[in-house]
Every structure is written in structure tokens, then in C-alpha cells.
Amino acid sequence: MRKKSKSTLMFGFVMSSMLLSGCQLVESPNALIEAPQPEKKQKIQLSEKAFELLPSNSELLVPENANKKQSIYIADVNGDGNQEAFLLYRGLGEKREVHLLSLQETENDWKEISDIEFDYFKLDYFNFHDLDNDGLLEIVIGLGMSDFESENELIIYQWDAEGLTQLANKGYEIIDIADYDRDKNLDILLVHGKRREFMEAEHLRFRNGQLEVSSSVNIDEYAFHENVLSGKLHDGSLALFIDGGVGAHSMVTEIIAIDGGKLIKVDERTTGMFIKDYPLYSKDINNDGVIEVGQMYIPKGWEEEASANIPYIEYYSSYSINGEEKKIEERFTNREHKFYITIPEEWYGKVTVKELENGIQLISVSDDELLFDVKWGKRESVEPSGHVLKETQNTIFYTEMKENDSFPFKQFHLLEDEF
């Protein structure tokens, strides 16, 4: 990385407009939630200063690993009562390196302190955190070479009399910063390694300007991490859920948490690894603030079929830190025709699937009772009899059976309803 000074250059009107809508104040050193917008005058001053300072042939950047999409961050990072502003951008010409422009608020203006140009082209992470609980905010940035490479570089800065000073750096693939063990101190969870050789998750603390590894666990070195999210287990513990592709089609889910001050894998405390035959991401399936892990099983009668032909029953479960499972939802999903049927709790594990030419049936495995029937056809070519379940622009979904009170028609959903 290099520090450089820069003469005043014209910026675009569109960029200035983006500035006016992108500012955010951090409320306190420990605040990890959204905070109030700056005063209107402050926003106007900052956007005008950016208009002067940023090159015309440039674009603002939003961190890829960010809950809130923004390019400009404002906070009093050194606790002196004055605001500091940080703008993330890169050039659009041959030199596309990421820049971090830092400004400090004066009585009637914003003063440029530094413009750091990094030898990286991707912005993965940016935020303020009081990592050592001293009342001052560290500036944490994650950078990478390209969207096609998973290896990134974590860099931690502190604001001093000279501006930004780099304190620590470390390579990583995945990072999350939160109070995982609920001791009112921030924890850094970081995944790093070399695929097919080793991969590990580390619990780090930031002390005396250094990153210290508190504990670590090995994770699957063959998995390509596709979906990562931080969220709660059903006992209230915070965990990091990592869904990774393995082999041609399969997926494994690993859950990282802190218990007794040590990093642990929740999935190793259950009855077995969370391996599924095709990708099924972890998510909050019922919007209760707890993350569920997606899994699947083969319905009765399909055990000898090739995996590609099996109409799997999917289910989502939440877990406690000790590995206790709660099944939250079970469903049959047809991705080709973009619908799913939620299975009532009394029928969990008791349903199999029968495929029709243009439909499917869900049948009780104990007595072959027809529980649910779905047929479909193109709107212009089918005249459905019975009950219409749903309609799309091109397709009608309907059933010719009488509604089963224990398995009502409202269990039918279009996949697009989830988004």
C-alpha cells in the first residue's frame, strides 16, 4: 500500500448525489447497529468536499461483505469530539486499486488527512469497531485481488495525530466481528487456509495493537464457501453458519460458535455432519431471528433411485450450542416448476412422493392415503377442474382432490413468494 497526496480534481454530479444519501453516523464505539443520519449541513459540506477531491474518472465502492450498502462512513473514531469521514473508491481507468480517503471535520469544512491507495482491487469489508474496548474505534478493512479469488487481507488502522496508522494485518477468506461469547467484548471470527490442504476457523482478540489467536478449529478443506451468515442458535447463542459446496453437487454446513471461551463446531455436537446431496442454504426460514440449517432425506420408495431422480423431502432445523436439534419446517420443493409444499408437523417423516406426468402427489407412507395433489399446465392450454392453488403469468397450479383437513391447500406456495 502507498500513501499519496492529490490535487483537487473535478468529480461528477451523480457521485455527489450518491454522497448525500450514503452517510451514516456511528453512535458509540461499541455500536454495531445503524445510527442516526448526520445533520443536513454536514452532509452537504462533505459531498461538496468530495466533489473537489475525488477524481472524475472514479467510482465509489460498497464492501461486498456488508449488511448496509454504503460507501461513506462517518464517526468520531479518536474520541476528540470531531467527526472523521472515510470514503472508499477506485479509479475506472487502468489503475483500479482501492482507495481509502480520510477527512476530518473542521469548524466550517472537511480537511483531507490522507488518501491511501492499496495494492488490491476488491473491497470485501469495512467498518469501525472498538476491538480492544478502550473507548476508541479501530478502522477495519478487508481487501482482495479479485472476485475470482477467495483470499483477502484484513488490515486494522488506528487514528492518531498523524492520521491513520496501520497496526495489524492478517490473511483471511471469511471474517465476522461481533460479541460471540456475550462477554461485552468483540470477537473476531476468521476463516483462512489453503483449499485441499487445510482450512481453519480462528477466534482472535485485538490486544495492544496486535491480533492474538485465542482458539481455533479445523473445518472442511475441500468445501467452496458459497453462503456465510452470522445469526442466532435457538438458545440465543451467536454462531457463524458456513455453507460450502463439495464435489460436483453436494453441500456441507458447518456452524462455528464460542463455548466456554473456546471456538467449537456445533455441527460436531449433533448426530452427524450436515451433508446434503445438493445445495440448500442456511437461513431464517420462519423469520423468528434464529438461523435454520437446510437438510434433506429420501422419501420411502425412492431409496434405489439415482440421486438426480430422487424427489427429496427438504427440512430446516435450528440448533442449540450443545447440538440439540429442533425441526422447524419440512417441505417438498419442485424447483423446475418453482413451487413448494410445506408439510404439517403431524406429517413430518410420514410422507412420500408420487410423480405424475404433469403433477405430483404426497402420500401417507403408512396407508397410502392421498394427502396432497398438485397438477399444472400452461394457462392457454389447460382448463383446470377442482381448486386452483396458484397462478403465474404462464402456469396454473390446481388440484382435483377434496381438501384434506390435516393437510390443507394453503400449504402450497410459489418459490417466488420467499423473495
Side-chain angles (χ1 to χ4, degrees):
M1 119 193 109
R2 313 181 280 280
K3 287 189 179 181
K4 65 173 187 176
S5 62
K6 176 159 53 22
S7 60
T8 299
L9 295 169
M10 290 302 292
F11 191 44
F13 173 79
V14 174
M15 194 73 78
S16 180
S17 299
M18 291 174 67
L19 298 178
L20 286 170
S21 62
C23 299
Q24 181 189 18
L25 275 173
V26 172
E27 194 169 11
S28 69
N30 288 320
L32 298 179
I33 60 176
E34 293 184 20
Q37 293 287 322
E39 295 295 330
K40 183 177 180 180
K41 180 180 178 181
Q42 184 187 49
K43 289 194 284 186
I44 292 174
Q45 289 176 339
L46 181 56
S47 63
E48 289 176 346
K49 195 66 179 181
F51 184 92
E52 296 175 1
L53 295 174
L54 293 184
S56 57
N57 191 27
S58 64
E59 63 178 353
L60 290 173
L61 294 176
V62 174
E64 294 181 10
N65 181 12
N67 292 326
K68 184 175 177 62
K69 303 301 183 185
Q70 62 185 88
S71 301
I72 304 164
Y73 295 75
I74 304 175
D76 178 10
V77 295
N78 59 356
D80 66 354
N82 295 316
Q83 300 292 324
E84 286 76 43
F86 301 88
L87 286 75
L88 300 151
Y89 76 96
R90 69 180 170 199
L92 294 174
E94 292 184 5
K95 292 182 68 60
R96 296 181 58 83
E97 291 88 347
V98 174
H99 285 245
L100 176 60
L101 176 64
S102 60
L103 309 171
Q104 189 169 50
E105 188 179 28
T106 62
E107 185 174 352
N108 296 306
D109 199 1
W110 288 90
K111 175 185 177 183
E112 178 182 352
I113 302 300
S114 65
D115 182 359
I116 301 175
E117 181 185 78
F118 300 96
D119 295 322
Y120 295 92
F121 305 96
K122 180 184 76 172
L123 176 63
D124 180 68
Y125 185 90
F126 187 90
N127 216 331
F128 307 124
H129 298 286
D130 184 5
L131 297 175
D132 50 8
N133 208 24
D134 66 351
L136 303 178
L137 292 168
E138 281 73 45
I139 297 94
V140 184
I141 186 168
L143 300 158
M145 294 304 297
S146 75
D147 293 331
F148 306 103
E149 297 181 20
S150 60
E151 295 180 8
N152 302 302
E153 185 77 8
L154 170 68
I155 306 174
I156 299 174
Y157 289 98
Q158 191 175 67
W159 189 285
D160 58 25
E162 302 299 322
L164 291 180
T165 298
Q166 180 177 326
L167 299 179
N169 66 291
K170 186 175 178 65
Y172 76 96
E173 181 174 326
I174 298 168
I175 186 173
D176 192 56
I177 301 175
D179 183 6
Y180 272 84
D181 53 7
R182 295 182 285 186
D183 66 351
K184 298 184 179 180
N185 294 302
L186 289 177
D187 305 289
I188 302 173
L189 263 60
L190 181 147
V191 172
H192 75 105
K194 188 173 183 180
R195 193 154 279 104
R196 295 188 178 89
E197 293 186 12
F198 83 98
M199 194 69 65
E200 65 179 353
E202 291 183 333
H203 170 213
L204 299 102
R205 295 192 183 276
F206 185 72
R207 297 289 181 266
N208 301 315
Q210 300 294 322
L211 286 169
E212 300 174 356
V213 178
S214 176
S215 60
S216 64
V217 292
N218 292 327
I219 63 174
D220 194 323
E221 66 269 29
Y222 291 95
F224 289 83
H225 303 134
E226 297 180 17
N227 180 60
V228 179
L229 69 163
S230 176
K232 289 183 179 179
L233 302 168
H234 67 235
D235 61 3
S237 302
L238 190 63
L240 190 66
F241 297 77
I242 306 173
D243 299 321
V246 289
H249 307 289
S250 301
M251 174 162 281
V252 61
T253 297
E254 299 173 276
I255 307 175
I256 311 300
I258 297 175
D259 188 20
K262 298 290 186 180
L263 207 63
I264 60 101
K265 291 184 66 179
V266 174
D267 48 286
E268 291 183 346
R269 296 181 170 185
T270 65
T271 55
M273 292 183 67
F274 302 140
I275 299 178
K276 35 243 173 176
D277 284 354
Y278 57 82
L280 198 59
Y281 291 165
S282 303
K283 60 182 175 179
D284 182 0
I285 194 75
N286 58 348
N287 299 312
D288 67 347
V290 175
I291 302 300
E292 284 78 38
V293 175
Q295 299 176 79
M296 61 190 65
Y297 67 86
I298 301 172
K300 184 179 178 181
W302 293 88
E303 294 86 354
E304 302 303 319
E305 292 289 328
S307 179
N309 299 326
I310 296 172
Y312 288 91
I313 301 291
E314 300 174 353
Y315 65 98
Y316 289 84
S317 295
S318 65
Y319 292 86
S320 68
I321 202 162
N322 63 13
E324 178 192 24
E325 178 184 7
K326 286 185 182 179
K327 184 178 284 190
I328 303 301
E329 184 174 299
E330 195 169 290
R331 59 168 65 175
F332 168 75
T333 303
N334 185 310
R335 287 182 170 75
E336 179 183 358
H337 295 283
K338 299 180 174 60
F339 71 85
Y340 67 98
I341 303 165
T342 55
I343 298 172
E345 186 174 357
E346 65 184 276
W347 288 105
Y348 286 179
K350 302 174 183 179
V351 172
T352 189
V353 181
K354 181 179 180 180
E355 293 185 339
L356 308 175
E357 183 177 354
N358 289 299
I360 64 98
Q361 293 178 336
L362 299 184
I363 298 170
S364 167
V365 297
S366 62
D367 58 8
D368 293 330
E369 177 189 1
L370 178 60
L371 301 172
F372 208 98
D373 169 270
V374 181
K375 295 180 171 64
W376 54 81
K378 294 183 178 179
R379 291 177 64 95
E380 66 272 13
S381 60
V382 67
E383 294 185 8
S385 59
H387 179 79
V388 174
L389 297 167
K390 292 281 186 179
E391 297 183 51
T392 68
Q393 184 176 359
N394 301 312
T395 306
I396 296 177
F397 298 93
Y398 64 99
T399 181
E400 295 174 342
M401 69 175 287
K402 183 180 178 180
E403 186 169 21
N404 186 317
D405 291 339
S406 69
F407 211 131
F409 292 157
K410 67 179 182 180
Q411 307 300 112
F412 182 89
H413 307 272
L414 297 177
L415 272 174
E416 62 190 37
D417 294 342
E418 288 198 305
F419 303 100

